[in-house]
Amino acid sequence: MSAIDKDPCACKLACHIVKQQFHDICETACRTLLEKGISSAPELARGSGLRFAQLHSALLVLIQHNYVNCYLQSEDANPRRPPISIPIYEADLPAILQSLRKPSLLVHIRDESLGPASTTPGEELTAGEVNEVIMQSLLEQGRLRLDQLINSVANKLDKPVDQMRDMLQRHFFGLVKSRYIERAPGCAEPPPMPFQHKKGARKSAPKPGSIEEAREQANQSRKLSRAEYEKERFKLPAHLMLASKREQGAPEPAKKKRRMGGSTATNEPSKEEDDRDSLVLWRANREEFNKRLRHAACIDMVQQKNGPDCAAVLRAMLHATISYETDSKAEQSQAVSQEAVVSYAKELQDMDPEYRPPADIPAALRELAEDGLQPISYTGEGPGGSLYCVNMQTIIRRKRLLEMEAVIRQRFGAHGLRVFRLLLLHPQLEQKQIAEKAMLPPKEAKELLYRLFKAGFVGLQDVPRTADHAPSRTLYTWSVNNEAAADKLAAELYKAAFNVYVRCTHEFEQHKEIFDMCKDNNIPETLQRTHGKIIGQVIRSTQMLDSALFRLDSQIATLNDF
């Protein structure tokens, strides 16, 4: 968890989001979890002041919408008594905050081609539109079984369930294969291991029968449980896998004789397996969306600096390596050959008619590898030609720096931006040196430095010449810490997003009576005209606030989630 995840403004924004969606009881439970961290139900009841029945209902709602994670915690390992397990709960702050990103996620899933459009007779929807409705149902309702998801999507499309079932199952298959949808983790999983600072290599193994050995075994069990979930995370139901193989023209599975008895068995899923698969809960994969939006940000950054041809090549490289990424904040992608880039560029062109790869892909790869930003790196030679990998974190760092520079220029002017860039190139400079190198009067340089320091964009370090740390015998140097500055800016963006969200909510609540009156057809015409003007003003102001919230969320994603 990053430092910004416990920012007070981020927690306030998360609580307000929960309150708007599920009202006060869920907001109280969420706020208590954010304040106390991982807690059991009795601890939450004492901290929140809620009755146990209210707390139980609130936790069920929050778990259903993936805002709270539930684990099964065993008591501190002790071999001298039998283990006791209790459920504990943890608020998922990034998941709550990402609910602001729902419009971006739906636009992305609609615009991305995940396969050919449905060929169902009389079907007018494109594949992107169907996928958008599927993801919208999951984002609105949290965790759903496959039959519940199909019924929800069919109701949204206003079509019979029987007519849509096969087509929706095919789209669901594609979304799981692309890792946009995953199995929801169970509530009996052990909690994540707390971070421990390594004090050095352990000299010897724990003694048999000791508490240390029991804790070591508990940690190993926790790792095995997590590995089992990762193995099952994107596993499709057996009947969907079999139907997909049949559509692809795979041969029917051969019958095999059982060892006991003379009956035969096939690879058809058993009734028990079907029943087990029908109870699986599915949810939207937040990490995969972050990876895709991160890729889009990298492509946009390269297009601004190197042009559309290089951006098209980078898109093909990211498309080739997306299935190998396991971390949404990976430093580099897997190495991909020049021949593979050409092949995936042709595949993208078949999927997206608007995609235009350059005529000379090897030249574009060399241009990117030789660029000073180093968006990609040459890693050697392979069977398919030269090998390259995408330096995703390098591109994102550059994008973060541009976001910070834009804010500094707006708040502190061109001179403030000049001082910031100077300290990036030459860290640990004294105030007099900064004034000389930035060609600024000493007084103006001093004011800019202290204003930047107050805002958190620069840091001050004292270098004492003597042991008494006397100011007259101490050097004071200025520098820039990119990570600290990005965290400070992200905290300010969370505060701004909270203010915009509250203002948008206030606009609707202030005119709620007018909206209710306009639903009544018996009000006089003069009042209808007056109320119509007020409603028009409210809609325009909320549209402006939503647009501002969208821009703030985009900046927050660049600084915190990518």
Side-chain angles (χ1 to χ4, degrees), residues 28 106 109 129 136 140 150 230 286 315 320 354 450 458 489 559:
T28 302
L106 294 176
I109 203 72
E129 291 171 340
Q136 183 181 3
E140 288 178 353
I150 291 174
E230 289 295 334
R286 177 173 57 87
R315 180 181 173 185
E354 297 182 359
Y450 280 95
V458 300
L489 180 57
L559 294 170

Side-chain angles (χ1 to χ4, degrees), residues 265-328:
T266 67
N267 290 336
E268 293 281 348
S270 63
K271 186 176 184 302
E272 293 181 0
E273 193 174 1
D274 283 340
D275 293 342
R276 189 166 58 250
D277 288 339
S278 65
L279 298 177
V280 173
L281 293 174
W282 302 88
R283 69 176 185 179
N285 185 4
R286 177 173 57 87
E287 292 182 1
E288 186 66 25
F289 276 110
N290 279 342
K291 285 195 291 186
R292 303 297 179 118
L293 295 178
R294 186 183 188 224
H295 287 182
C298 291
I299 294 168
D300 182 62
M301 185 71 191
V302 170
Q303 183 167 359
Q304 292 178 13
K305 189 177 187 299
N306 303 95
D309 288 347
C310 292
V313 170
L314 187 74
R315 180 181 173 185
M317 293 182 69
L318 293 173
H319 178 66
T321 59
I322 182 65
S323 59
Y324 300 100
E325 287 186 36
T326 57
D327 186 6
S328 58

Side-chain angles (χ1 to χ4, degrees), residues 101 104 399 403 493 548-559 562:
R101 213 166 293 160
S104 301
K399 189 172 179 64
E403 294 281 0
L493 292 174
L549 194 60
F550 176 80
R551 291 194 300 270
L552 288 169
D553 180 68
S554 177
Q555 292 177 303
I556 289 171
T558 301
L559 294 170
F562 296 164

Side-chain angles (χ1 to χ4, degrees), residues 256-263:
K256 298 180 180 179
K257 285 191 176 182
R258 299 184 188 271
R259 289 187 177 182
M260 300 294 293
S263 61

